[in-house]
Amino acid sequence: MKKRLLSFLLALCMALSLVPVGAVAQSAVTTIPVSGGKPSANSGTGWSYGSKKLTLTDGSFELSSNLGDVEVVIQKNATLMPGSTTTFGTASYVTNHGTIGQSGTTDYPQFSGSVHNYGNILGGQFKYHMYNHGGGHIKGGEFHSSYSVTNYTGGYIDSGTFNGTVDNSGTINNGTFNGTVSNLSTIKGGSYKLLYSVKEPTSTSISYTTLI
C-alpha cells in the first residue's frame, strides 16, 4: 500500500513539473487598487502609475473601482479583464496594444473617453470615439450613438452593436449598425440602417440587410 502511495505521489510530482510556470501565472488576475478615480499605489506586479498615466505591462488585470482623469496604456502582453462596474471617465484616454475583455461574457467595462485600439477588444461599452488601427481587432461590444468608430486600413471588426457613425477602411464581418456606415473597403455580412459604399463592392465583398 505504501509503495502504491509513493508511486502515485512521484507520478503526480513529475506531472506537475511539466506544467509551464507561465501557464500557472497567466491564470491569476491582479486587482489594481483605485481610490478617488485614480490608482492608490504607484506600481504593482506588471503595472505602474505616474503623472496620471496607468500602464499595464504584463499579466491580467482588473480595477477595484472606477477611473477618472487617467490615461491608460495596455501593452501587448497585458489583458484588462471585464467588469461591468468598472468605468473609465470622460477625461480618460485608453491605448490598447493587448487585450480588453474576455470571450464568453457580457460583463463589460465601460469607456467614457476615447479608445485607440491596436490589439484585441472582446467586448465593452464604448461611449466616446473609437479608433481601430491596423492590426486592431474588435469582436463584440456596444458603441454609443453620439460618437464615431473609425476602422483604419488593416483593422478588423467582427460583430458588435454600432449605434453611431462608422468609417470603414478595413474589414467588417457581421455586426449590427444602427448609424451611418461609410465604406471604403470590405464588408461581409451584418445588418445596416444606412450604408454608403464609396468603393463599389462586388457581390462577394458586401452583404447587408437594410433595416429601414
Side-chain angles (χ1 to χ4, degrees):
M1 183 66 179
K2 290 183 178 180
K3 289 183 178 180
R4 290 183 178 179
L5 180 60
L6 289 173
S7 297
F8 172 76
L9 292 174
L10 179 60
L12 180 62
C13 291
M14 292 177 65
L16 290 174
S17 68
L18 297 176
V19 178
V21 175
V24 177
Q26 287 177 2
S27 63
V29 177
T30 298
T31 300
I32 299 174
V34 176
S35 178
K38 62 182 181 181
S40 56
N42 291 327
S43 64
T45 302
W47 67 274
S48 62
Y49 175 70
S51 302
K52 293 187 176 182
K53 181 178 180 179
L54 172 63
T55 302
L56 310 183
T57 305
D58 190 3
S60 298
F61 303 91
E62 62 182 6
L63 304 175
S64 68
S65 187
N66 301 332
L67 281 180
D69 183 10
V70 174
E71 178 184 356
V72 181
V73 177
I74 304 168
Q75 296 187 353
K76 182 173 66 174
N77 294 323
T79 299
L80 179 63
M81 301 297 287
S84 60
T85 59
T86 300
T87 63
F88 296 78
T90 56
S92 66
Y93 181 98
V94 178
T95 302
N96 176 48
H97 294 272
T99 301
I100 295 174
Q102 185 179 39
S103 59
T105 181
T106 57
D107 189 20
Y108 293 153
Q110 301 176 37
F111 300 86
S112 297
S114 61
V115 177
H116 285 259
N117 181 50
Y118 299 84
N120 297 302
I121 292 177
L122 305 176
Q125 295 183 26
F126 301 89
K127 299 182 178 181
Y128 202 62
H129 298 297
M130 156 63 71
Y131 304 92
N132 191 42
H133 296 268
H137 185 179
I138 298 173
K139 184 176 177 61
E142 183 175 353
F143 300 83
H144 198 276
S145 60
S146 298
Y147 301 99
S148 64
V149 174
T150 302
N151 189 37
Y152 292 100
T153 301
Y156 189 82
I157 294 175
D158 184 9
S159 68
T161 301
F162 301 82
N163 296 309
T165 300
V166 175
D167 294 312
N168 177 49
S169 296
T171 299
I172 293 176
N173 183 44
N174 296 319
T176 300
F177 298 82
N178 295 318
T180 301
V181 178
S182 295
N183 180 44
L184 288 166
S185 187
T186 303
I187 291 178
K188 298 179 180 180
S191 298
Y192 298 83
K193 185 175 183 180
L194 184 60
L195 183 141
Y196 293 104
S197 185
V198 181
K199 174 186 175 183
E200 186 65 28
T202 65
S203 60
T204 57
S205 68
I206 185 168
S207 175
Y208 65 92
T209 301
T210 304
L211 302 181
I212 60 172

